[in-house]
Amino acid sequence: MSAARRARDGTQGKQPMQIVGVCRFSMLGRGDWKAYRNQPDEALETIYAEKAAELFTPERMEARFATFLNLTLASVAAQSDQDFRFLVMSSDRMPAPYQDRLRAMCAAFPQVVLRFLPPMHVSEAQKQIMAEEGIELADCLQFRLDDDDCVSREFVRRLRRVGRMNEKQAILGVSFSQQYYCVTDGPTRGVYNWYSPFFSAGATIRHPRHTVFDYGHFQIPRRMYAITDPHFPNLVTHRGDNDTPRHAAEILKKRGMYPAPADEVADVFAKHFTFITPKGLAACGLDHLIQLDGSPQRERRAASA
């Protein structure tokens, strides 16, 4: 942070507030994945081999590269406040051509710190990278973001403001609670308005000892003082045919998800997600629902499915 900015913000002489995003890209290791839950250590190598066979299939990798570049990294690059770091944790068992491709992709974004790691718990991996980068847990707000989701271009700016308003709170949880949940295919394909505090996209904590992955994201407000802000939405993607029961119409309704009206979707994209290109729309399955009109203002309008 520059001296001029610290003076302007009234933080002269104080430790600058650091903001760190964390993303797992085809990583192997314990965490909040069901495959590893309650498994003894001696079973892990077998699980690693099984998960690697799933993670590194060409079809899956192509889909992940598309969403990661056109949604996740696009939202990183578009932030109105660029003073943050974004840790990308991947697997050293990833085939070399994919590693090379991921390195080249991440190199274009100055905020990104990429590491290929042996199988380990995701929280330990995060602590290891933060130590290498000289980042103290106590001095930062740390948020998580999956490789097929993105946040509003005002996310970091607003998160910093919330942090400063609560700078005396050593342990803090923050959630931008409005989600636009995109079912990208299947019979319920579409964009759903979903109020879901502490959903994984953008879930944030400040803690002197623990990482954001030490908590199930929905458990954060049960474990610490927490704040929600519904004004800066996240965009979440999920393939419907990968989880048909979850995306049945009655289940979506039961979870509080409702189809977002076309004008609402257009307004949200114009305000928060202007960085999403036609490739981004295709990556999250919205190319049949939303169109870019090609004008210099890049206004968005919704089209009926």
Side-chain angles (χ1 to χ4, degrees):
M1 182 186 298
S2 68
R5 178 171 178 175
R6 288 196 295 271
R8 183 178 68 248
D9 294 343
T11 57
Q12 197 78 28
K14 298 180 181 178
Q15 174 69 31
M17 179 174 296
Q18 298 188 69
I19 294 179
V20 178
V22 190
C23 180
R24 300 171 294 185
F25 188 92
S26 300
M27 183 183 174
L28 294 170
R30 288 190 188 272
D32 54 1
W33 293 294
K34 293 180 181 179
Y36 302 98
R37 194 170 298 166
N38 300 320
Q39 295 292 332
D41 288 346
E42 56 268 25
L44 290 179
E45 190 56 43
T46 298
I47 298 173
Y48 295 151
E50 292 173 351
K51 298 308 293 182
E54 295 176 14
L55 292 178
F56 305 136
T57 61
E59 180 182 6
R60 182 187 179 280
M61 291 302 295
E62 290 302 321
R64 289 293 168 168
F65 277 125
T67 57
F68 184 56
L69 177 62
N70 293 293
L71 298 178
T72 310
L73 289 179
S75 71
V76 166
Q79 291 302 305
S80 60
D81 180 341
Q82 291 281 302
D83 186 16
F84 68 100
R85 275 181 275 188
F86 193 69
L87 312 183
V88 177
M89 304 184 299
S90 192
S91 172
D92 64 358
R93 300 191 185 188
M94 177 182 288
Y98 292 140
Q99 288 194 34
D100 292 342
R101 186 171 171 185
L102 186 58
R103 284 191 189 95
M105 191 174 287
C106 290
F109 300 87
Q111 299 88 354
V112 173
V113 177
L114 171 65
R115 293 288 189 278
F116 293 97
L117 303 160
M120 64 172 69
H121 194 287
V122 61
S123 182
E124 293 306 312
Q126 181 184 337
K127 288 180 179 178
Q128 175 179 310
I129 300 171
M130 289 179 68
E132 293 170 357
E133 294 294 312
I135 304 170
E136 296 287 341
L137 278 171
D139 294 332
C140 76
L141 291 166
Q142 37 173 313
F143 69 91
R144 58 181 290 178
L145 188 62
D146 288 345
D147 60 8
D148 55 356
D149 300 334
C150 61
V151 292
S152 165
R153 60 192 176 94
E154 300 294 339
F155 175 87
V156 171
R157 178 188 67 80
R158 185 66 171 189
L159 182 59
R160 192 183 307 280
R161 180 181 178 187
V162 172
R164 287 190 178 135
M165 292 169 65
N166 294 273
E167 63 182 352
K168 294 182 179 180
Q169 197 70 36
I171 299 176
L172 171 69
V174 183
S175 172
F176 294 90
S177 50
Q178 180 62 53
Q179 321 298 329
Y180 283 89
Y181 190 93
C182 305
V183 179
T184 62
D185 54 11
T188 56
R189 182 179 67 173
V191 186
Y192 294 81
N193 182 319
W194 186 30
Y195 178 73
S196 183
F198 287 94
F199 186 73
S200 59
T204 300
I205 71 165
R206 181 179 184 182
H207 199 289
R209 296 177 302 279
H210 296 302
T211 78
V212 69
F213 289 103
D214 283 327
Y215 302 93
H217 49 89
F218 286 127
Q219 292 299 311
I220 290 173
R222 298 174 181 267
R223 304 288 295 277
M224 64 188 70
Y225 172 77
I227 294 170
T228 61
D229 184 342
H231 298 108
F232 297 83
N234 308 306
L235 185 68
V236 179
T237 70
H238 206 293
R239 286 181 59 185
D241 61 357
N242 274 358
D243 202 344
T244 301
R246 175 184 292 184
H247 296 106
E250 62 272 18
I251 299 300
L252 294 175
K253 185 175 182 180
K254 186 175 181 179
R255 297 177 75 193
M257 298 181 184
Y258 298 93
D263 57 349
E264 176 183 330
V265 174
D267 289 344
V268 166
F269 267 70
K271 184 175 182 179
H272 295 282
F273 303 114
T274 52
F275 53 85
I276 296 182
T277 65
K279 287 184 178 179
L281 292 178
C284 59
L286 297 181
D287 47 332
H288 297 295
L289 302 173
I290 301 169
Q291 296 179 352
L292 306 184
D293 67 10
S295 70
Q297 292 78 23
R298 299 179 65 81
E299 295 177 355
R300 278 143 170 81
R301 68 177 186 272
S304 59

